[in-house]
């Protein structure tokens, strides 16, 4: 059985996509590893390779084509599968991923055969095995099957009982691309999963719904086994909350240390975890932790409360102090509320400078499908065009005129990334490109809503 897995190209309206970070198609590499008995290829179309889709179909002649999509890429993913079906109607077309799980109806198309709901590791293998013997796909859990304009849902798929059941990604399939994957000055970088899920209930996040509010973490042996197979020095851990289970994180640290693995890491953590257990930060720093992504979200407690963050500014500031003391850079994520005024933008810029944050990321509060925020404010949207759901285009009404809002956001980035300390992560040229893309963001609203 020949299976082609496609990472869709980046649509032109998405700001910053592929500019400051481009991770390997980890989900596809994991899925590929679940079907070692098949002949599998990965086509990464983010690298300017969209013109070769037809060439790949001609040369490889796949029997199955599968792709994935976040919200901003829904139209692109649909277009790919439409092209595949037009090329050969007999090819089984599959879509999975975050958006397909939250809003499968958006892929209820005549050119889509199967929609995978939730975690795909077991589902995809069973799907391929069943299709190979021409069995009944309705017997495979975790699917939505488009039929005569409606969706037929099979019984839901349970979450993996253990993340150790997840196979090590088949990185051999992206060998020709690997020098292209990076995060800022980290190049080339590799990505990996250590944990899944988060027990918190932030109103702007849907991940806790996808993982049923559960948090799971791999065993130290599983993590280290994978690390020892990765050639890259830089490891971008793409979890939602890597250090939530401090005991397990400590065990992973201990085994990495014992094995003498020399890597540099970026992890995720909440600031209150850092404050409660600064020792885990010290230990991971010892084995190569250099960057810690923290959802700071705001410099005001009332905004944190509104987002149901269940955290406080004082924890954020204490975590910053602890990370500074340990020589670890915080990638501090802030949410820019649509009601921000020019004063709010200026105050935030001053706050970032005062806290000596060299690596802040400012994202516009976006009500993604599946989040509580989406359900609460859906009828207020100024656009329903998925291409603009990219963290930088306002979806909710802004207090400032849209052009002024985008200009303030762009100036915020320019101000905080003007220092030499900040430019060790992103070059001045990269910041300038980012600045211009935000400045011109309002032009994208001329795209007809779909």
């Amino acid at each position: 059985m020949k299976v082609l897995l496609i990472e869709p190209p980046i649509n032109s309206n998405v700001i910053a996509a592929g500019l400051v970070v481009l991770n390997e198609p980890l989900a596809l590499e994991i899925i590929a590893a679940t079907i070692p008995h098949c002949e599998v290829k990965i086509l990464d179309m983010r690298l300017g390779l969209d013109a070769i889709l037809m060439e790949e179909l001609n040369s490889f002649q796949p029997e199955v084509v599968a792709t994935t999509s976040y919200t901003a890429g829904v139209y692109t993913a649909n277009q790919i599968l439409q092209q595949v079906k037009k090329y050969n109607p007999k090819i089984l077309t599959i879509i999975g991923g975050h958006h397909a799980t939250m809003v499968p109806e958006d892929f209820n198309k005549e050119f889509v055969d199967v929609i995978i709901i939730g975690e795909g590791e077991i589902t995809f293998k069973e799907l391929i095995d069943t299709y190979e013997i021409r069995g009944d796909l309705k017997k495979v859990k975790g699917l939505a099957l488009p039929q005569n304009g409606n969706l037929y849902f099979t019984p839901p798929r349970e979450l993996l009982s253990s993340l150790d059941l997840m196979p090590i990604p088949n990185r051999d399939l992206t060998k020709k691309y690997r020098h292209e994957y990076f995060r800022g000055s980290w190049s080339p970088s590799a990505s990996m999963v250590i944990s899944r899920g988060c027990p918190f209930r932030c109103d702007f996040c849907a991940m806790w719904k996808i993982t049923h509010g559960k948090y799971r973490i791999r065993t130290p042996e599983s993590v280290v086994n994978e690390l020892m197979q990765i050639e890259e020095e830089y490891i971008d851990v793409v979890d939602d909350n890597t250090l939530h289970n401090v005991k397990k994180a400590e065990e992973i640290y201990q085994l990495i240390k014992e094995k003498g693995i020399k890597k540099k890491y970026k992890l995720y953590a909440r600031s209150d975890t850092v404050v409660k257990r600064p020792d885990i930060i010290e230990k991971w720093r010892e084995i190569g932790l250099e960057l810690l992504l923290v959802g700071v979200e705001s410099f005001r407690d009332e905004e944190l409360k509104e987002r149901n963050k269940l955290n406080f500014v004082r924890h954020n500031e204490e975590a910053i102090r602890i990370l500074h003391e340990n020589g670890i850079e915080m990638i501090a994520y802030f949410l820019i509320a649509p009601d921000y005024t020019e004063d709010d933008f200026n105050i935030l810029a001053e706050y970032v400078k005062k806290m000596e944050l060299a690596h802040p990321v400012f994202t516009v509060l976006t009500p993604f499908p599946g989040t509580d925020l989406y359900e609460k404010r859906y009828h207020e949207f100024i656009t329903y065009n998925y291409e603009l759901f990219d963290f930088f285009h306002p979806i909710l009404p802004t207090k400032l005129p849209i052009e002024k809002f985008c200009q303030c956001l762009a100036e915020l980035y320019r101000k905080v990334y003007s220092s030499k300390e900040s430019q060790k992560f992103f070059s001045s040229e990269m910041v300038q490109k980012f600045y211009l893309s935000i400045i011109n963001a309002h032009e994208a609203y001329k795209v007809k809503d779909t």
Side-chain angles (χ1 to χ4, degrees):
M1 179 75 71
K2 291 185 176 183
V3 180
L4 178 63
L5 304 177
I6 299 176
E7 187 70 27
I10 300 167
N11 78 63
S12 59
N13 285 321
V14 173
I15 294 175
L19 180 60
V20 296
V21 58
L22 186 72
N23 286 326
E24 64 187 284
L26 189 62
L28 298 185
E29 293 169 340
I30 293 172
I31 288 297
T34 68
I35 49 171
H37 60 292
C38 295
E39 186 178 351
V40 184
K41 280 192 172 184
I42 290 179
L43 176 62
D44 193 337
M45 294 178 66
R46 298 171 300 173
L47 303 172
L49 303 172
D50 53 309
I52 70 166
L53 174 58
M54 288 302 128
E55 293 179 22
E56 196 70 47
L57 293 173
N58 278 322
S59 62
F60 188 47
Q61 291 294 310
E63 297 156 82
V64 176
V65 171
T67 189
T68 183
S69 176
Y70 290 103
T71 299
V74 167
Y75 309 142
T76 303
N78 273 326
Q79 288 167 5
I80 288 172
L81 296 183
Q82 187 173 27
Q83 291 178 53
V84 170
K85 270 298 186 193
K86 186 176 181 180
Y87 171 79
N88 182 355
K90 294 182 180 180
I91 295 175
L92 184 74
T93 54
I94 304 170
I95 183 77
H98 186 102
H99 192 93
T101 295
M102 301 312 301
V103 196
E105 294 79 11
D106 285 333
F107 299 103
N108 183 16
K109 311 289 184 180
E110 68 277 5
F111 46 80
V112 177
D113 293 317
V114 182
I115 304 164
I116 294 180
I117 311 294
E119 293 182 333
E121 289 84 1
I122 294 177
T123 303
F124 193 82
K125 181 183 185 307
E126 288 188 7
L127 169 61
I128 295 300
D129 289 346
T130 302
Y131 182 69
E132 201 163 14
I133 62 172
R134 296 302 185 262
D136 186 358
L137 298 185
K138 291 182 179 179
K139 294 182 178 179
V140 178
K141 291 182 178 180
L143 303 180
L145 305 172
Q147 295 183 344
N148 301 318
N150 298 311
L151 287 180
Y152 177 90
F153 290 87
T154 67
R157 172 72 61 184
E158 305 84 358
L159 295 177
L160 291 174
S161 57
S162 166
L163 289 189
D164 285 3
L165 295 174
M166 180 176 63
I168 291 178
N170 186 344
R171 294 185 171 89
D172 287 340
L173 297 178
T174 54
K175 191 170 288 290
K176 66 179 179 180
Y177 304 127
R178 300 202 65 81
H179 65 285
E180 301 277 3
Y181 303 132
F182 70 98
R183 165 176 280 277
S185 61
W186 282 17
S187 178
S189 67
S191 304
M192 74 178 295
V193 172
I194 289 179
S195 70
R196 274 187 185 168
C198 180
F200 294 89
R201 302 288 188 270
C202 300
D203 76 341
F204 56 90
C205 179
M207 188 53 66
W208 60 269
K209 295 188 178 183
I210 290 176
T211 57
H212 305 171
K214 296 181 179 179
Y215 178 82
R216 293 157 295 159
I217 188 168
R218 295 166 63 182
T219 61
E221 294 76 15
S222 171
V223 173
V224 167
N225 183 31
E226 181 174 346
L227 277 173
M228 293 177 72
Q229 298 181 45
I230 296 176
E231 296 179 3
E232 288 85 354
E233 176 185 9
Y234 301 107
I235 307 296
D236 189 340
V237 178
V238 295
D239 305 351
D240 297 296
N241 197 346
T242 314
L243 300 180
H244 176 70
N245 188 327
V246 177
K247 183 176 182 296
K248 287 290 185 182
E250 192 167 18
E251 291 173 1
I252 294 171
Y253 144 79
Q254 189 62 45
L255 192 56
I256 290 175
K257 183 179 178 181
E258 289 175 7
K259 295 291 184 179
I261 297 173
K262 304 298 182 184
K263 303 283 188 185
K264 294 178 181 177
Y265 303 94
K266 184 226 77 183
L267 307 180
Y268 285 58
R270 281 174 59 101
S271 64
D272 48 3
T273 302
V274 174
V275 171
K276 290 176 186 175
R277 291 294 304 272
D279 59 305
I280 194 64
I281 299 300
E282 296 170 7
K283 290 173 178 175
W284 269 84
R285 179 68 181 99
E286 182 185 346
I287 59 169
L289 176 60
E290 291 197 354
L291 301 172
L292 190 72
L293 193 154
V294 179
V296 171
E297 320 304 6
S298 178
F299 56 98
R300 297 172 176 142
D301 279 330
E302 58 267 28
E303 290 181 347
L304 295 178
K305 184 177 181 180
E306 189 174 3
R307 302 278 70 81
N308 199 34
K309 185 70 180 180
L310 300 183
N311 206 353
F312 301 95
V313 170
R314 67 177 184 273
H315 289 153
N316 291 336
E317 294 180 351
E318 178 63 9
I320 293 169
R321 184 192 65 79
I322 291 169
L323 293 174
H324 281 172
E325 283 186 354
N326 284 277
I328 296 171
E329 194 60 53
M330 177 191 280
I331 307 174
Y333 269 68
F334 289 89
L335 290 172
I336 305 298
D339 61 357
Y340 265 28
T341 64
E342 287 187 68
D343 284 343
D344 292 319
F345 279 102
N346 291 332
I347 293 169
L348 178 53
E350 290 304 315
Y351 181 80
V352 167
K353 290 179 181 179
K354 182 184 77 171
M355 301 308 299
E356 298 180 347
L357 293 170
H359 201 326
V361 179
F362 308 105
T363 60
V364 177
L365 179 65
T366 304
F368 282 97
T371 64
D372 289 348
L373 188 64
Y374 181 90
E375 296 171 8
K376 180 180 178 181
R377 304 192 65 179
Y378 179 81
H379 297 291
E380 300 176 45
F381 290 5
I382 61 174
T383 178
Y384 295 88
N385 180 357
Y386 282 146
E387 291 187 334
L388 306 184
F389 282 65
D390 65 351
F391 296 105
F392 296 103
H393 289 94
I395 302 301
L396 295 168
T398 57
K399 180 174 288 188
L400 293 170
I402 195 75
E403 293 86 352
K404 186 64 176 178
F405 184 92
C406 292
Q407 183 179 23
C408 286
L409 179 60
E411 288 295 340
L412 178 61
Y413 270 100
R414 175 172 282 187
K415 286 177 184 177
V416 302
Y417 279 99
S418 60
S419 69
K420 290 183 179 180
E421 182 66 20
S422 294
Q423 289 179 10
K424 73 181 181 182
F425 302 106
F426 302 113
S427 68
S428 56
E429 180 183 3
M430 191 180 296
V431 173
Q432 178 66 10
K433 287 181 180 178
F434 194 21
Y435 170 85
L436 292 174
S437 64
I438 298 175
I439 283 288
N440 296 323
H442 63 278
E443 293 295 325
Y445 291 93
K446 297 176 181 177
V447 177
K448 182 179 179 181
D449 289 347
T450 309

